[in-house]
Amino acid sequence: MKPFMDDDFILGNDTAKHLFHDYAEALPIIDYHCHISPREIYEDRRFDNLGDVWFGGREADGHYFGDHYKWRLMRSNGMPEEEVTGRGDELKRFKGFADTLTMAIGNPMHHWCNLELKKYFGITEPLNTDNAEAIWNKCNDKLRNDPDMSVRGLIRQSNVAYVGTTDDPIDTLEWHEKIAADKSIDFMVRPSFRPDKAINITKAGFKEYIESLAKAVGKDSLDSTQDVIDALINRIEFFAAHGCVASDHGLDYIPFRKLPMEVCDNAFKKAMKGEAVTTEEAEGYQTALLIAIGKAYHKHNIAMELHYSCLRNMNERMFAAEGPDTGFDMIANNSCGGSIAALLSELDKTGELPKTIIFSLNPADNEQIGTILGCFQSSEVPGKIQHGPAWWFNDTKSGMEDQMKSLANLGLLGNFIGMLTDSRSFLSYTRHDYFRRIMCNLIGEWVENGEYPNDDAALKRIVEGISYYNAKRYFGI
């Protein structure tokens, strides 16, 4: 029997061990998509206890910030909501989570949490109900007293070279400017452009957001689709001047419906008056924006990330009580591959197709995405169109393997830009370690099965590329 989570965790053969320990393990991390706070990086936040950094919960201003992966598991173990997202008895909450984790066999959270305890706190015994209080006390003592356990210290311990945060177009990027001016911060932190609120014309808050966008570009109002486009391009230029290399679109599905601009304007005016907008009108407006800002991304060498196929806030009672991003989302079935290809083709016609990373939350879309890639590659950069890594509900061991196998079957796995955390936690960089182990084990199996030659130079290039160098090249870091 193999020991639990030793140095060769997940590495099932000699080739995998060699590839991971000699080539992947020590490389820096490029975390090109996450949801951590640039303010907390600049202020070098410290955490009072493990609950702060692991669970989060309701903040003083009433909003929630934390790890909805853990919250979903705790609810599944029957923990009351006041212990899941509340900030009452933190030790009681931690003990409840420890009990939950012992039940989470086969869930990546079991691996992630124990990897974090091992890497950052030196704890090698698996967390369980019996040792929960001792581990809680040991972790809290280290968080409070070890100078390397601040936000910046955790990032440095993790060997992170680049952090791509997620930022709204109206953001002043104040904290990014302060980070850039602070010479003691020796890793890169750059904004990523997230314009969803300007695109989601049928969702609540659209009118108010457009009014905020107008103020951000010094206008009294935005009165047409072209006004919105101009405002977004203005903000893209602002972000580019602050080192932005990626945008992020988290849409229900990717539309493509070219309509005359007057139809788009009619839809926009209806939405601004609070009137209902049809699906066709909404898609026309959204398509006009995606085409225009896609061209701007190409001009400024900003990669376009397209995330789709999520149904959000599905439990109406809990959404009313807790709000968004608290763990009540699910996989959707939006087969929009044809629309994605049409959008990419429209941009390609004029030579303005940006680097594009396509993520579906539905793993059934893996093969469709794999075939889209081959239609739009170019000599601008190897793997210009990327199949994004397994994310959210898919960043399990089997989900990562399935995504990489699909990419290998239909494209070039060797040009894959690798993992991201998509996380709000400063301890979650162990997910890169987890991914690299899974990747090396998969490649090692192919080599040891005689499915790929034992060519060490080629294997080194592939493994180091996926771990670090492909993303470095792709984003121009």
Side-chain angles (χ1 to χ4, degrees), residues 259 263-264 266-267 270 276-286:
L259 296 175
V263 177
C264 301
N266 184 55
K270 287 168 65 175
V277 176
T278 68
T279 298
E280 292 76 11
E281 290 173 328
E283 290 181 352
Y285 167 84
Q286 292 169 331

Side-chain angles (χ1 to χ4, degrees), residues 400-410 413 442 446:
M400 292 181 197
E401 290 172 341
D402 288 346
Q403 184 270 345
M404 284 188 280
K405 287 178 181 178
S406 175
L407 177 55
N409 285 337
L410 297 167
L413 180 61
L442 178 62
W446 288 336

Side-chain angles (χ1 to χ4, degrees), residues 8-30:
D8 293 330
F9 174 56
I10 295 180
L11 306 173
N13 55 70
D14 289 340
T15 303
K17 295 173 187 177
H18 162 58
L19 296 177
F20 178 75
H21 292 305
D22 294 331
Y23 299 142
E25 185 174 20
L27 286 172
I29 288 171
I30 293 178

Side-chain angles (χ1 to χ4, degrees), residues 312-477:
R312 299 179 184 272
N313 309 314
M314 297 309 295
N315 185 322
E316 293 182 21
R317 176 181 62 84
M318 293 303 293
F319 174 61
E322 310 294 344
D325 302 320
T326 51
F328 299 99
D329 306 325
M330 60 172 278
I331 293 171
N333 185 24
N334 292 315
S335 183
C336 54
S339 297
I340 294 171
L343 174 63
L344 301 188
S345 182
E346 182 69 21
L347 293 165
D348 184 68
K349 284 180 187 176
T350 57
E352 295 171 285
L353 173 61
K355 293 175 291 188
T356 302
I357 310 167
I358 306 171
F359 307 74
S360 174
L361 196 56
N362 190 339
D365 293 336
N366 280 346
E367 278 68 34
Q368 185 181 68
I369 292 172
T371 58
I372 292 172
L373 307 186
C375 298
F376 297 101
Q377 304 291 11
S378 82
S379 60
E380 290 178 61
V381 62
K384 176 180 175 179
I385 313 300
Q386 288 276 330
H387 184 178
W391 63 295
W392 200 346
F393 298 127
N394 299 317
D395 53 8
T396 62
K397 182 173 181 287
S398 59
M400 292 181 197
E401 290 172 341
D402 288 346
Q403 184 270 345
M404 284 188 280
K405 287 178 181 178
S406 175
L407 177 55
N409 285 337
L410 297 167
L412 287 180
L413 180 61
N415 283 333
F416 179 34
I417 58 173
M419 189 56 177
L420 46 77
T421 61
D422 189 34
S423 173
R424 293 167 171 81
S425 170
F426 291 97
L427 298 184
S428 64
Y429 296 112
T430 54
R431 296 181 193 179
H432 284 263
D433 177 273
Y434 191 56
F435 165 81
R436 291 176 184 183
R437 289 174 182 273
I438 292 166
M439 180 261 293
C440 289
N441 190 63
L442 178 62
I443 292 174
E445 288 178 355
W446 288 336
V447 172
E448 298 218 355
N449 287 341
E451 299 175 51
Y452 187 88
N454 189 20
D455 179 342
D456 197 58
L459 292 169
K460 179 177 188 289
R461 180 186 178 194
I462 290 169
V463 168
E464 290 186 342
I466 296 171
S467 299
Y468 173 69
Y469 288 106
N470 292 346
K472 179 180 173 65
R473 175 183 62 199
Y474 191 80
F475 293 105
I477 296 169

Side-chain angles (χ1 to χ4, degrees), residues 103-358:
M103 303 295 288
I105 185 170
N107 191 293
M109 183 60 67
H110 191 278
H111 293 156
W112 295 345
C113 290
N114 282 290
L115 280 170
E116 290 171 15
L117 290 174
K118 181 178 180 180
K119 178 173 180 61
Y120 300 108
F121 300 97
I123 294 169
T124 56
E125 56 181 315
L127 175 63
N128 57 46
T129 308
D130 294 334
N131 63 20
E133 186 165 357
I135 287 177
W136 171 258
N137 291 330
K138 182 175 181 178
C139 290
N140 292 347
D141 180 69
K142 191 172 177 68
L143 283 168
R144 293 164 186 163
N145 298 307
D146 187 332
D148 292 329
M149 295 301 286
S150 67
V151 162
R152 295 187 198 177
L154 291 168
I155 292 173
R156 291 190 183 101
Q157 285 186 64
S158 305
N159 196 20
V160 177
Y162 177 90
V163 177
T165 62
T166 302
D167 307 273
D168 193 280
I170 67 173
D171 197 300
T172 64
L173 303 184
E174 169 192 1
W175 300 105
H176 284 279
E177 291 178 350
K178 290 182 176 182
I179 290 170
D182 189 335
K183 302 306 180 185
S184 69
I185 300 177
D186 52 1
F187 47 86
M188 294 179 66
V189 183
R190 297 290 185 268
S192 298
F193 191 75
R194 180 78 177 247
D196 296 353
K197 292 178 182 178
I199 294 173
N200 288 326
I201 188 172
T202 59
K203 294 198 172 182
F206 176 77
K207 174 179 181 292
E208 292 76 13
Y209 182 77
I210 295 298
E211 291 170 350
S212 297
L213 180 59
K215 292 178 182 177
V217 295
K219 301 283 188 181
D220 292 331
S221 65
L222 302 178
D223 301 316
S224 67
T225 305
Q226 188 61 51
D227 282 353
V228 178
I229 289 170
D230 291 343
L232 289 175
I233 291 176
N234 175 292
R235 300 308 291 172
I236 289 170
E237 291 170 350
F238 178 71
F239 272 58
H242 286 75
C244 173
V245 297
S247 66
D248 181 51
H249 297 260
L251 303 175
D252 295 342
Y253 64 96
I254 311 302
F256 188 81
R257 187 186 295 270
K258 285 190 73 176
L259 296 175
M261 191 60 82
E262 55 266 28
V263 177
C264 301
D265 286 341
N266 184 55
F268 175 75
K269 290 171 183 176
K270 287 168 65 175
M272 293 299 287
K273 290 188 289 187
E275 298 175 2
V277 176
T278 68
T279 298
E280 292 76 11
E281 290 173 328
E283 290 181 352
Y285 167 84
Q286 292 169 331
T287 300
L289 264 61
L290 287 171
I291 291 171
I293 61 179
K295 292 178 178 181
Y297 295 151
H298 181 269
K299 177 180 178 181
H300 294 284
N301 198 26
I302 293 173
M304 178 170 66
E305 299 178 26
L306 300 173
H307 294 82
Y308 64 96
S309 239
C310 176
L311 289 172
R312 299 179 184 272
N313 309 314
M314 297 309 295
N315 185 322
E316 293 182 21
R317 176 181 62 84
M318 293 303 293
F319 174 61
E322 310 294 344
D325 302 320
T326 51
F328 299 99
D329 306 325
M330 60 172 278
I331 293 171
N333 185 24
N334 292 315
S335 183
C336 54
S339 297
I340 294 171
L343 174 63
L344 301 188
S345 182
E346 182 69 21
L347 293 165
D348 184 68
K349 284 180 187 176
T350 57
E352 295 171 285
L353 173 61
K355 293 175 291 188
T356 302
I357 310 167
I358 306 171

Side-chain angles (χ1 to χ4, degrees), residues 73-91:
L73 283 189
M74 293 155 83
R75 293 174 185 131
S76 296
N77 203 35
M79 289 181 63
E81 191 63 31
E82 60 267 22
E83 293 179 16
V84 174
T85 54
R87 288 184 177 273
D89 187 332
E90 290 281 24
L91 176 56

